Amino acid sequence: MADDTAAVDESHPHQPHAHDTREALLFGGVYGAVLASSMVAALSQYGHASRGSRRYDAVWLLVTALASALAHGYAHYIAERAPHRRGDAWRTLALEWPLVAAVLPTVAVLAGAGWGWWPANGVEYPAFALNVCLLFTLGLVTARWAHRPWPVAILIGAVDALLGVIVVVANAVIK
């Protein structure tokens, strides 16, 4: 009887776990969108709504996303106890791009308010809405990629969006 397990490449028996691109997109996207919402909630807690503070918020959000991506990639790299080949660390870090990409729309909203494209006061609400929509879309698209039926995909998108709603509600309660 044939073994149904995946064959291991004998030339590289200690390969690090290759993360599926769709898995990385969903994980990084969800993590990044929730991170963006949380940072906006934290940075807007004290009512600083000047253009300068919004530019500062945009920079801090980007720095936090980059640091989170580096920390997550590094944790993946060191958690794999197998020997690594040259360049594995860089490849592992590069797989964290969805986390950084997911915060870029919020960085643009904050930076736009900082540059005077729209009012700096109250910009956290469009940022929250944007991230909730992003979470819903990520859940929906990922579920459809997995060939889930539309009703299930919509439910998964709604559950992902609920993560963003929790941040919004927590922000309202804390304020």
Side-chain angles (χ1 to χ4, degrees):
M1 186 168 201
D3 184 12
D4 289 339
T5 59
V8 175
D9 181 3
E10 294 300 327
S11 64
H12 295 76
H14 299 292
Q15 293 181 29
H17 172 67
H19 299 285
D20 181 71
T21 303
R22 292 177 182 172
E23 175 188 337
L25 179 65
L26 177 64
F27 178 83
V30 168
Y31 189 92
V34 171
L35 174 71
S37 291
S38 300
M39 287 292 297
V40 167
L43 292 169
S44 64
Q45 177 183 1
Y46 298 107
H48 301 292
S50 69
R51 288 173 55 185
S53 69
R54 293 306 181 192
R55 288 189 303 269
Y56 173 85
D57 294 349
V59 170
W60 266 112
L61 175 55
L62 189 57
V63 167
T64 302
L66 290 169
S68 296
L70 285 172
H72 188 257
Y74 178 71
H76 268 290
Y77 180 76
I78 64 170
E80 296 167 350
R81 297 181 184 242
H84 292 92
R85 295 186 313 257
R86 182 175 300 176
D88 281 350
W90 293 113
R91 281 187 286 281
T92 301
L93 292 175
L95 290 174
E96 300 302 319
W97 71 266
L99 189 157
V100 177
V103 303
L104 293 179
T106 305
V107 168
V109 167
L110 294 171
W115 293 324
W117 295 348
W118 40 79
N121 191 23
V123 76
E124 63 269 18
Y125 302 110
F128 289 150
L130 176 69
N131 286 307
V132 169
C133 290
L134 178 61
L135 286 164
F136 176 80
T137 302
L138 283 167
L140 178 76
V141 168
T142 305
R144 290 300 297 154
W145 279 343
H147 305 290
R148 304 263 195 247
W150 277 103
V152 172
I154 291 169
L155 179 63
I156 290 170
V159 170
D160 280 2
L162 184 61
L163 294 170
V165 171
I166 289 168
V167 172
V168 172
V169 169
N171 180 56
V173 168
I174 291 170
K175 280 187 175 182

